[in-house]
Amino acid sequence: FIVAVLLQKSSVLFTVGEPDKAYDLMNSTVLFGRNDLYYRALADINLAKLRALLGRSGASIDAIRSEFQSVLGSAIENARQATEFDETNYLNWVSLARVYESVVSLGITGAYDNAKRAYEEAMKYNPKSPSLHLYLSQLEILHGNRNAARAHISEALVLKNNYTDAIFLLSQMH
């Protein structure tokens, strides 16, 4: 019951734009027991903090860089904890992939390879999901590989021929 209340409060705080308070509450849920859902939620909050950090102005570059490295490290660790808790849950692998994908455009070494590897791991546990192929196509677009992106979109459309998100992404590429 306590964990359910903490999850709800954390979700509300996150929704109203209080990621630090949401993170602290969500982090306290881990004290009551480990669960991949908690770690995925922590990684999501970290990603929101990263986005906010990149949009921040007025702080010194060194301060932003230091906080960025810390938050990114926490995001990676939280997503990894989710995969370690249940390596067969594809959502845990998607969470890890999204963390790495979020920094691909910044040119961080290994981000693309790690994101791709995590998406491929997710596909092992949910091979019939067209959304995983769509995520991979978006990753390939970020990496500048449009041919691979088209191939993944095609695979998504084979799995679901009326997948509007895939059709829309393909039309945007053209």
Side-chain angles (χ1 to χ4, degrees):
F1 176 76
I2 292 171
V3 170
V5 170
L6 291 172
L7 286 169
Q8 178 61 29
K9 285 184 177 182
S10 177
S11 177
V12 168
L13 286 169
F14 182 72
T15 303
V16 297
E18 297 281 345
D20 292 329
K21 290 180 183 177
Y23 188 85
D24 291 341
L25 269 179
M26 185 59 67
N27 207 21
S28 64
T29 62
V30 178
L31 299 174
F32 293 96
R34 295 181 64 218
N35 188 310
D36 56 342
L37 172 66
Y38 310 157
Y39 290 117
R40 285 195 316 264
L42 286 167
D44 287 344
I45 294 169
N46 287 132
L47 285 177
K49 289 169 77 171
L50 281 176
R51 285 189 292 273
L53 218 98
L54 291 175
R56 186 188 302 168
S57 61
S60 75
I61 298 294
D62 290 335
I64 290 175
R65 180 180 298 124
S66 175
E67 189 174 351
F68 180 86
Q69 289 171 340
S70 173
V71 173
L72 178 60
S74 291
I76 292 169
E77 181 58 28
N78 286 319
R80 278 195 183 146
Q81 288 287 332
T83 62
E84 288 174 12
F85 183 82
D86 184 0
E87 68 179 26
T88 63
N89 186 341
Y90 82 99
L91 292 172
N92 296 335
W93 292 104
V94 169
S95 180
L96 182 59
R98 287 186 181 203
V99 169
Y100 284 117
E101 181 180 19
S102 70
V103 294
V104 166
S105 62
L106 300 176
I108 294 179
T109 305
Y112 166 77
D113 293 329
N114 287 321
K116 186 173 181 177
R117 202 172 8 256
Y119 279 135
E120 289 168 349
E121 196 67 28
M123 292 175 99
K124 287 182 188 176
Y125 300 108
N126 193 359
K128 297 197 184 279
S129 172
S131 63
L132 295 176
H133 288 284
L134 186 65
Y135 297 155
L136 268 168
S137 66
Q138 292 167 332
L139 176 65
E140 294 296 349
I141 290 170
L142 281 174
H143 193 250
N145 192 346
R146 297 174 66 80
N147 291 332
R150 280 190 195 92
H152 285 295
I153 291 172
S154 295
E155 291 176 41
L157 291 171
V158 165
L159 292 170
K160 184 177 180 189
N161 64 359
N162 62 347
Y163 190 22
T164 54
D165 290 342
I167 294 167
F168 182 68
L169 184 58
L170 186 61
S171 70
Q172 283 181 316
M173 289 179 64
H174 289 294

